[in-house]
Amino acid sequence: MAKFNEKLDKYAELIVKVGVNVQPNQKVVIASSIESAPLTRLITKHAFQVGALDVIVNWVDEDITLERYKKAPLSVFETAPKYRVEERTELAKENACFISIVSEDPDLLKGVSGEKIAANQKAMGQALTEFRELTMSNTISWTVVAAASNGWAQKVFPDLPLEKQVPTLWEAIFETTRINTDDPIATWKNHDATLNAKADELNEKQFKTLHYTAPGTDLYIGLPEDHVWVGAGSYNAKGHEFMANMPTEEVFCCAEKTSVQGYVSSTKPLSYSGNVIDNFKLTFENGRISNVEAEKGKEILQDLVNTDEGSHYLGEVALVPDPSPISQSGILFYNTLFDENASNHLAIGSAYAFNIKNGENMSRAELDARGVNTSLTHVDFMIGSDKMNIDGITKSGETIPVFRNGDWAF
């Protein structure tokens, strides 16, 4: 137990010092389940140790969430509580940093009305437009991290004895976030430099189009002019570095909204709003999703695509080599934070403004004109495997291998 407590404390310190890089006199906002309270308390401790002005925790409870979805009428989910929206937006404007601790049971809302789930996603998406723009332009610092929970651990390790499921999931979290190294903070900085070097290579090439081929996939994705590939670390408006996801193994960019053609198949299940969507295929025409197929969760996936007009298009394009540590762990996490970092992935919905040169300073109209998608949602889904090849096509028409058999070709 002492060893676990030591690792959990290191993890909390990493989240504070590298994840959001808390600055003196800065407010810290944490979204946490009550099951993740031990980690949340340690994050609070470390935040105050580095000079945080205040730590504000917004608690959720899965049992209450499920009961609410089962018993509350649809009208409850069609509007967003104004006080919650105003609090989050006001804190963001005060330069607070935001930590989201994910620990959800992937099957929590299985069997719940898809109409309620879709209504809630749309209502919250509309209400949090201003806040989302602050995060997606990197105006503020934010990070998404994980904590093991009973429901999640049971989904990931169903064959283990009950008493070993949560400890095994915690160990997987510690391993993938580099807590098991001598100096996690230094290790993360080296990892950040490695990913940034790969992003620099891609930025030099400035491909016009990426062509993906794999079993069930033949997809062309156009990239905007002056696009910017980004590695692990980002910088907020004040110039302070942070890590939006921990773990992370990706370099990512944005798609040119209307320049996506062909079809792509998922290679890992997508855990979305308490449901699992699996074995699905999306077809694109002139950038827009024209057809949705899925063996499991088709209704939920269709509702996601129908959230708004922007959710019919792609935002993010991310490259992750199959030999990445998370992929090689052999663990299917049923959690996008982890599974997206084991696989090449795409995102339905909004693109990040900073993935185009000077995009942080552009108006929404300017971004639209450059093909940078906007939506109420942003949902990553996994498409990579050791059978995927990707070619980059330059403006002059030259084809250059980017991925071969799931790994970098340069």
Side-chain angles (χ1 to χ4, degrees):
M1 191 64 179
K3 187 88 170 177
F4 170 78
N5 289 336
E6 181 182 331
K7 288 184 179 183
L8 194 67
D9 190 70
K10 281 187 175 181
Y11 185 39
E13 182 182 19
L14 181 72
I15 292 166
V16 167
K17 293 183 177 179
V18 176
V20 286
N21 189 13
V22 176
Q23 299 297 303
N25 297 314
Q26 186 177 31
K27 291 181 179 179
V28 180
V29 184
I30 307 173
S32 170
S33 71
I34 58 173
E35 203 172 342
S36 305
L39 175 61
T40 303
R41 294 185 189 113
L42 288 171
I43 291 173
T44 300
K45 179 192 78 171
H46 281 286
F48 279 122
Q49 283 179 351
V50 298
L53 179 65
D54 196 9
V55 178
I56 300 150
V57 182
N58 293 315
W59 298 102
V60 295
D61 177 86
E62 285 195 348
D63 290 339
I64 291 173
T65 297
L66 179 57
E67 197 67 17
R68 182 169 174 264
Y69 267 101
K70 284 181 174 179
K71 303 292 176 59
L74 176 62
S75 60
V76 167
F77 302 95
E78 292 176 328
T79 57
K82 187 178 286 189
Y83 70 91
R84 287 177 59 191
V85 174
E86 290 178 348
E87 177 194 50
R88 202 180 304 188
T89 305
E90 180 182 325
L91 286 166
K93 288 181 176 179
E94 291 176 4
N95 193 41
C97 58
F98 291 78
I99 300 169
S100 296
I101 304 174
V102 296
S103 59
E104 295 88 351
D105 176 355
D107 291 323
L108 179 67
L109 301 183
K110 185 178 181 180
V112 166
S113 164
E115 191 177 10
K116 288 182 180 179
I117 294 170
N120 183 67
Q121 292 290 332
K122 187 169 186 176
M124 293 303 295
Q126 289 173 332
L128 290 170
T129 296
E130 186 175 8
F131 176 80
R132 187 174 59 256
E133 288 177 352
L134 291 171
T135 58
M136 298 198 79
S137 64
N138 280 349
T139 301
I140 59 173
S141 299
W142 55 281
T143 193
V144 182
V145 297
S149 65
N150 287 314
W152 182 20
Q154 287 172 22
K155 182 71 174 180
V156 179
F157 300 110
D159 297 329
L160 287 181
L162 197 61
E163 68 275 10
K164 291 186 177 181
Q165 291 173 346
V166 169
T168 303
L169 182 54
W170 266 122
E171 188 55 32
I173 292 171
F174 293 146
E175 183 65 27
T176 55
T177 54
R178 296 169 166 78
I179 297 303
N180 292 336
T181 60
D182 292 335
D183 187 343
I185 291 175
T187 302
W188 263 94
K189 290 182 177 178
N190 289 334
H191 178 53
D192 182 29
T194 299
L195 291 177
N196 283 333
K198 190 59 70 175
D200 288 344
E201 289 185 78
L202 287 165
N203 285 327
E204 286 178 14
K205 298 181 188 303
Q206 281 293 301
F207 291 120
K208 182 178 181 180
T209 306
L210 295 179
H211 181 206
Y212 293 68
T213 54
T217 293
D218 188 355
L219 187 71
Y220 290 86
I221 300 178
L223 304 176
E225 191 172 350
D226 292 328
H227 59 264
V228 178
W229 290 91
V230 176
S234 299
Y235 290 86
N236 67 17
K238 293 185 177 295
H240 300 136
E241 190 173 17
F242 67 95
M243 298 281 172
N245 289 343
M246 300 180 80
T248 185
E249 301 289 340
E250 66 179 322
V251 293
F252 63 96
C253 193
C254 60
E256 200 289 318
K257 178 177 177 178
T258 60
S259 300
V260 182
Q261 296 284 150
Y263 54 90
V264 63
S265 295
S266 66
T267 52
K268 291 181 183 291
L270 170 61
S271 178
Y272 173 71
S273 290
N275 287 268
V276 174
I277 306 167
D278 201 6
N279 291 327
F280 59 94
K281 180 179 178 180
L282 300 177
T283 301
F284 294 82
E285 294 179 14
N286 299 319
R288 200 174 194 274
I289 297 172
S290 59
N291 190 51
V292 174
E293 302 172 44
E295 288 184 13
K296 183 177 183 180
K298 182 177 179 179
E299 179 187 352
I300 299 294
L301 179 58
Q302 190 67 66
D303 285 341
L304 164 60
V305 171
N306 290 335
T307 300
D308 61 8
E309 181 59 21
S311 57
H312 289 78
Y313 296 85
L314 290 182
E316 181 184 333
V317 179
L319 300 177
V320 181
D322 187 69
S324 72
I326 299 176
S327 177
Q328 294 306 302
S329 74
I331 300 172
L332 178 59
F333 283 91
Y334 291 97
N335 182 298
T336 302
L337 175 63
F338 290 83
D339 292 334
E340 73 170 7
N341 285 299
S343 168
N344 288 325
H345 56 273
L346 306 171
I348 293 169
S350 272
Y352 293 100
F354 55 80
N355 278 138
I356 191 167
K357 187 177 180 180
N358 200 38
E360 306 95 315
N361 302 314
M362 291 183 184
S363 67
R364 186 66 257 169
E366 290 173 316
L367 290 169
D368 288 342
R370 300 292 294 277
V372 180
N373 192 33
T374 183
S375 171
L376 300 176
T377 193
H378 175 99
V379 178
D380 298 282
F381 63 98
M382 287 61 72
I383 64 167
S385 72
D386 60 2
K387 298 177 178 62
M388 174 162 276
N389 293 328
I390 304 174
D391 288 312
I393 304 171
T394 66
K395 292 177 184 176
S396 64
E398 181 185 3
T399 297
I400 299 173
V402 176
F403 263 55
R404 284 295 178 267
N405 299 317
D407 200 1
W408 292 106
F410 61 82

